[in-house]
């Protein structure tokens, strides 16, 4: 009687999920948010209200639900992602509430911006939990890459073809106004197009890495291989021209270049892409007045401080007033900057928290971006690597464009600050982005079960157990 011995099964060492650390950090984020709200109300002479504690408990319960979804369906997700975003979201709500108080005093009417943002936060966190729950494997997204790409293009095109009364605000045709609310479809297009770019680049990597001509130390792609790059260029320039939206155009094109470079490891693609975009921007500057106005106000906003340059001038004054340590939450005058709760919320924080506080906020964003890049490095599949790197890069690019615009480093673009600015479309889209990144993080961090066999000569020999009859 013989028995064949099976090769041993080796389990990867069990790694801690760090879910308890995540829950503790969420409690800390709720505590900071409640403390900031108390400081704002105290400095606005509203007194200390026990009702604020209920807001803190509601905040913790909301993100606690998202935590439970992660604990149940994606237990190996990076424990820093959700708490940091919760803190950024909470501080954004505090600043929007602070701006509402000023607006109420000046107009005598109630401005429910903070209330509306709380409702959008509820919807967005619920969407985050749903994506984490039902997206079992991020690689499923690659199967529908072309559908996502087509949907993203349709979302981009809808505001351009709608009448100005239904799509235009502050000179930009980027909205879809519906009865009772409005949405900004470009916020969702950036995620859909990133999925499309990643899926196509993984499926056709050989096309993008094919041999080309060598020039000045770079390998230039063949003309027929430039079609995807030219398509992305046409889309971004079209958004800039027809929708008058410089910010979305920059985010889409820069994200595409990052993903292409990561997929091909060829700097020549980046050089060609930058040259194309620079050429398109120069042409747009001389042809379209709204592009020319943005550039001129960036170059010298004090040439028209009461007109086109008023917003950036007030932003610079806010930073100057804040100085190193700021005026304190509730003690500044951030309402002097137009659109302080949306495009210029960074200027509001710069005035009341100063350079130190603003640097701390930017550090929080940096941690999220770095953890996203670490997720891309650790992920085992090519699609996940490109998608995670693309999502993290999109956050970095958008943050650079926003902060660069309000500090006069680059022309103003009208983008919102992720998770902090007032706006439902931006908040919802960025929570969906975070959920996809969390799913990829879970896939990258979870331990693998592997079958191993010793390759030594003795181990490879047949083994029998002989039993006497």
């Amino acid at each position: 009687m013989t028995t064949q011995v099976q090769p041993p099964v080796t389990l990867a060492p069990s790694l801690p999920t760090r879910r308890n650390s995540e829950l503790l950090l969420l409690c800390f984020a709720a505590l900071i948010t409640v403390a900031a709200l108390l400081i704002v109300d105290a400095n606005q002479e509203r007194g200390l209200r026990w009702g604020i504690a209920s807001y803190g408990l509601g905040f913790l319960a909301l993100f606690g639900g998202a935590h439970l979804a992660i604990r149940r369906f994606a237990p190996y997700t990076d424990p820093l992602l959700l708490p940091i975003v919760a803190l950024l979201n909470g501080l954004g709500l505090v600043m929007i509430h602070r701006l509402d108080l000023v607006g109420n005093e000046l107009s005598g009417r109630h401005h429910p911006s903070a209330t509306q943002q709380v409702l959008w936060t509820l919807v967005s966190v619920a969407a985050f939990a749903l994506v984490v729950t039902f997206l079992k494997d991020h690689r499923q997204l690659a199967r529908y890459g072309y559908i996502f790409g087509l949907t993203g293009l349709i979302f981009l095109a809808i505001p351009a073809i709608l009448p100005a009364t239904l799509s235009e605000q502050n000179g930009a045709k980027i909205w879809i106004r519906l009865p009772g609310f409005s949405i900004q479809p470009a916020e969702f297009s950036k995620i859909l197009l990133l999925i499309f770019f990643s899926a196509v680049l993984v499926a056709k990597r050989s096309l993008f890495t094919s041999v080309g001509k060598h020039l000045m130390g770079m390998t230039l792609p063949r003309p027929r291989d430039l079609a995807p790059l030219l398509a992305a260029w046409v889309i971004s320039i079209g958004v800039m021209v027809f929708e008058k939206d410089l910010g979305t155009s920059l985010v889409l094109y820069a994200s595409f270049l990052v993903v292409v470079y990561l997929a091909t490891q060829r700097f020549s693609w980046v050089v060609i892409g930058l040259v194309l975009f620079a050429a398109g921007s120069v042409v747009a500057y001389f042809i379209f007045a709204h592009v020319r106005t943005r550039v001129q106000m960036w170059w010298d906003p004090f040439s028209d401080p009461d007109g086109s340059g008023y917003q950036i001038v007030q932003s610079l004054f806010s930073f100057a007033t804040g100085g190193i340590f700021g005026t304190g939450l509730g003690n500044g005058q951030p309402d002097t900057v137009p659109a302080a709760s949306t495009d210029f919320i960074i200027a509001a924080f710069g005035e009341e928290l100063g350079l130190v506080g603003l640097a701390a906020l930017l550090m929080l964003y940096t941690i999220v971006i770095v953890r996203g890049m670490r997720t891309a490095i650790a992920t085992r599949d090519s699609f996940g690597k490109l998608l995670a790197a693309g999502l993290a890069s999109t956050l970095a690019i958008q943050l650079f464009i926003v902060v660069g615009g309000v500090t006069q480093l680059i022309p103003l673009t009208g983008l919102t600050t992720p998770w902090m600015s007032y706006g439902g479309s931006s908040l919802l889209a960025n929570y969906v982005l975070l959920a996809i990144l969390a799913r990829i993080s879970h896939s990258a961090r979870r331990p693998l079960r592997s079958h191993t066999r010793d390759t030594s000569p003795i181990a490879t020999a047949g083994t029998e157990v002989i039993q006497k009859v």
Side-chain angles (χ1 to χ4, degrees):
M1 179 177 178
T2 62
T3 303
Q4 186 71 31
V5 177
Q6 298 295 326
V9 176
T10 301
L11 293 177
S14 180
L15 299 176
T17 61
R18 304 292 187 187
R19 298 279 65 85
N20 292 333
S21 299
E22 180 182 81
L23 182 59
L24 183 62
L25 290 173
L26 283 174
C27 294
F28 187 57
L31 180 63
I32 293 178
T33 301
V34 171
L37 190 58
L38 287 171
I39 293 172
V40 166
D41 282 359
N43 286 331
Q44 289 292 308
E45 298 181 355
R46 290 172 54 88
L48 301 180
R49 297 173 289 123
W50 284 107
I52 292 180
S54 64
Y55 291 113
L57 293 176
F59 181 88
L60 186 58
L62 176 61
F63 285 97
H67 163 77
L68 291 177
I70 292 179
R71 182 182 285 268
R72 173 65 179 83
F73 297 102
Y76 289 98
T77 298
D78 192 316
L80 293 181
L81 293 178
L82 183 62
I84 291 178
V85 169
L87 178 57
L88 292 171
N89 195 171
L91 292 176
L93 288 171
V94 170
M95 182 56 69
I96 294 170
H97 167 69
R98 185 259 181 277
L99 292 167
D100 279 352
L101 296 179
V102 179
N104 296 339
E105 293 176 357
L106 294 178
S107 64
R109 296 177 297 177
H110 179 59
H111 293 262
S113 298
T115 303
Q116 293 175 5
Q117 190 73 351
V118 168
L119 294 177
W120 276 113
T121 300
L122 177 62
V123 172
S124 301
V125 175
F128 170 88
L130 289 175
V131 173
V132 169
T133 301
F134 292 103
L135 182 61
K136 302 300 183 183
D137 189 343
H138 65 273
R139 291 172 293 184
Q140 297 173 353
L141 299 174
R143 302 176 186 174
Y144 309 99
Y146 285 94
I147 296 177
F148 287 136
L150 179 61
T151 305
L153 291 178
I154 292 174
F155 280 179
L156 277 179
I158 289 176
I161 62 179
L162 286 177
T165 55
L166 298 177
S167 62
E168 187 170 345
Q169 181 176 339
N170 297 326
K173 287 173 61 66
I174 57 176
W175 296 92
I176 299 177
R177 283 194 171 84
L178 300 173
F181 69 99
S182 59
I183 60 174
Q184 191 175 346
E187 293 288 344
F188 304 96
S189 291
K190 67 183 182 183
I191 301 176
L192 297 173
L193 291 175
L194 265 178
I195 296 173
F196 168 70
F197 291 152
S198 301
V200 170
L201 287 170
V202 169
K204 300 184 177 181
R205 178 175 296 179
S206 59
L207 172 69
F208 293 91
T209 57
S210 58
V211 178
K213 295 182 179 179
H214 296 275
L215 179 65
M216 298 178 63
M218 296 186 301
T219 303
L220 302 180
R222 298 175 300 182
R224 63 176 178 269
D225 298 338
L226 288 173
L229 183 61
L230 293 175
W233 176 75
V234 170
I235 292 170
S236 61
I237 296 298
V239 169
M240 180 192 300
V241 171
F242 295 105
E243 298 186 1
K244 303 178 182 179
D245 187 6
L246 303 180
T248 300
S249 176
L250 281 171
V251 169
L252 288 177
Y253 197 66
S255 300
F256 174 74
L257 287 183
V258 169
V259 174
V260 168
Y261 174 72
L262 292 175
T264 63
Q265 296 296 310
R266 288 191 174 180
F267 191 66
S268 56
W269 285 95
V270 178
V271 173
I272 295 173
L274 293 177
V275 170
L276 286 174
F277 192 81
S281 301
V282 170
V283 173
Y285 173 83
F286 288 103
I287 296 179
F288 301 101
H290 65 275
V291 177
R292 190 161 51 251
T293 300
R294 290 287 183 95
V295 175
Q296 289 173 350
M297 288 305 99
W298 162 67
W299 186 256
D300 185 12
F302 291 93
S303 62
D304 188 14
D306 296 323
S308 301
Y310 180 78
Q311 196 173 33
I312 184 62
V313 167
Q314 293 301 315
S315 174
L316 296 176
F317 282 146
S318 293
F319 286 117
T321 302
I324 301 297
F325 298 104
T327 59
L329 284 173
N331 282 332
Q333 294 180 319
D335 55 291
T336 58
V337 184
S341 63
T342 53
D343 302 353
F344 279 77
I345 199 168
I346 287 293
F349 278 107
E351 178 178 358
E352 299 204 336
L353 297 183
L355 177 62
V356 174
L358 185 57
L361 290 178
L362 296 181
M363 187 60 66
L364 292 176
Y365 279 107
T366 303
I367 294 173
V368 174
I369 294 166
V370 170
R371 304 297 284 196
M373 288 298 184
R374 288 188 61 181
T375 295
I377 294 172
T379 306
R380 302 171 183 91
D381 64 290
S382 298
F383 173 73
K385 287 181 179 294
L386 283 184
L387 184 56
L391 294 175
S393 299
T394 297
L395 289 176
I397 292 166
Q398 183 166 343
L399 186 65
F400 171 78
I401 292 173
V402 169
V403 177
V406 299
T407 57
Q408 205 191 349
L409 180 64
I410 60 175
L412 285 175
T413 57
L415 287 179
T416 56
T417 308
W419 300 299
M420 295 186 72
S421 294
Y422 174 75
S425 300
S426 173
L427 193 64
L428 178 58
N430 283 307
Y431 267 106
V432 172
L433 182 153
L434 180 69
I436 298 174
L437 195 58
R439 257 298 167 191
I440 301 174
S441 174
H442 166 72
S443 176
R445 289 165 52 88
R446 66 183 176 186
L448 289 178
R449 179 178 179 176
S450 59
H451 294 267
T452 61
R453 183 194 299 267
D454 191 352
T455 58
S456 62
I458 295 178
T460 57
T463 304
E464 295 180 348
V465 177
I466 302 175
Q467 181 179 3
K468 292 183 180 180
V469 179

